[in-house]
Amino acid sequence: MNGFVDGQVDPAFRVVRDVFEASFAEGQNAGAAVAVFVDGRPVVDLWGGVADARTNRPWLRDTAVVTFSCTKAVTATAALRVAHEHGVGWDDPVTSWWPEYGAAGKDSTTLADLLTHRAGLPAFDRAVSAVEAADPTALAAALAEQRPVWEPGTEHGYHALTFGWLLGEFVRRHTGATVGEYVRRNFGEQLWIGAPPAGVDPARVGFPPAAQQQWTDPDPIDAATVAAMARAYRDPESLVLRASTNPLFSHNDPEVLAAGWPAVGLVTSARGLARFYNDLVAGEFLPPDVLARAVGEQVRGRDRVLLLESAYGLGYVLPSENMILPASAAATAFGHPGAGGAIGLGDLTHRVAIAFTPNLRRDWLSGDRRAYNLVDAVYSAL
């Protein structure tokens, strides 16, 4: 079993290595990494498997991979920092800094609405190409003209892709920088929302066999909700498919990665993502009082897009049906999951930062408990 995994682990956290090794032995991973900091100290830094199944390229210490919606927590932190630096209130109307956004009944929308998925713009109302998506200013302008699906601030629904371009416009209008530029400048050069530098070859993302993608373990979601979700994923007009597949993209496409989509485009290593949360928890990016308010619950309930229970702070996902965590973590952790199994977490109470970055895209509704088991192991060792 040890042949699958390399790296270091503090002896007190040996259980995390045991769980990680078991996931490879059981065929749950192709390539992956997990990193953990506790009170500023690295206690887990493990990796293993293959970065590219086509060539059998191994996963190395610094292998980076696209982390999908884990990106959103980084983008939200950028927006929160910019708001703090420029004195913008979370409840200030978007039109105070983006006048054009008030079109089509959106004049009451606040920055908090953008951060909590309450803006009512979960999907574009026309087809958008991946080429167009390389121009964040143009996409922001298209969203400014669009009519919301619901009255802003009254409901919440996951803005899978539009989240990034909405908040990206806030960052751009106040700093002149894209989210990717701002993040690298302020949060770390190992967080790439945009093309990684020469010499960085991201892991190739893949999927398990179709039989392993069936929804076999939806617990604790009730059967009626699972059935409604299944119908939505078969309906091309459903909000969830419109929100997540327009623009249609492949994150194995270098041009998509280069475009730096600020909702789903973060490329980094597990160590890089865990260090981001470590520094966030330590107060490096936001004042402690600002972060404490930002990770407090703003909304919870049935998500108009995902159809299950979701809960959000200001840009951060909180434990819910959309991010199921073990009981030991559920009371205090915050962060963001990424499509197919990735996760980044912080915990102000326990001073913990965790990241898991796989390249085999499983889904927890198909029985995927890789991140859950690793988080459970970390908290059992505290």
Side-chain angles (χ1 to χ4, degrees), residues 276-288:
F276 163 80
Y277 276 97
N278 175 71
D279 293 346
L280 179 62
V281 166
E284 296 292 327
F285 301 148
L286 297 171

Side-chain angles (χ1 to χ4, degrees), residues 50-204:
V50 295
D52 189 337
R54 302 172 308 169
T55 63
N56 214 33
R57 171 166 57 99
W59 195 294
L60 303 176
R61 183 177 188 272
D62 293 316
T63 295
V65 66
V66 64
T67 60
F68 298 96
S69 285
C70 294
T71 311
K72 291 182 176 68
V74 178
T75 295
T77 304
L80 290 167
R81 182 182 173 105
V82 169
H84 177 72
E85 291 174 336
H86 291 264
V88 179
W90 299 334
D91 293 324
D92 292 351
V94 171
T95 53
S96 66
W97 47 268
W98 187 2
E100 304 91 330
Y101 190 82
K106 303 192 301 298
D107 52 294
S108 65
T109 307
T110 66
L111 177 59
D113 291 332
L114 303 187
L115 286 160
T116 56
H117 300 263
R118 295 182 298 185
L121 294 178
F124 290 99
D125 60 5
R126 63 171 179 84
V128 175
S129 69
V131 173
E132 289 179 276
D135 185 348
T137 303
L139 291 196
L143 291 169
E145 298 173 353
Q146 192 170 308
R147 184 170 297 282
V149 177
W150 61 81
E151 181 182 348
T154 62
E155 299 183 72
H156 72 279
Y158 192 53
H159 289 48
L161 300 176
T162 57
F163 180 92
W165 288 303
L166 291 170
L167 289 175
E169 188 67 1
F170 174 73
V171 171
R172 186 189 72 82
R173 285 180 178 248
H174 287 87
T175 70
T178 65
V179 170
E181 292 165 345
Y182 186 88
V183 165
R184 288 193 300 276
R185 187 182 307 152
N186 292 280
F187 299 162
E189 295 183 356
Q190 304 303 309
L191 301 169
W192 300 299
I193 304 176
V200 175
D201 190 7
R204 183 175 179 83

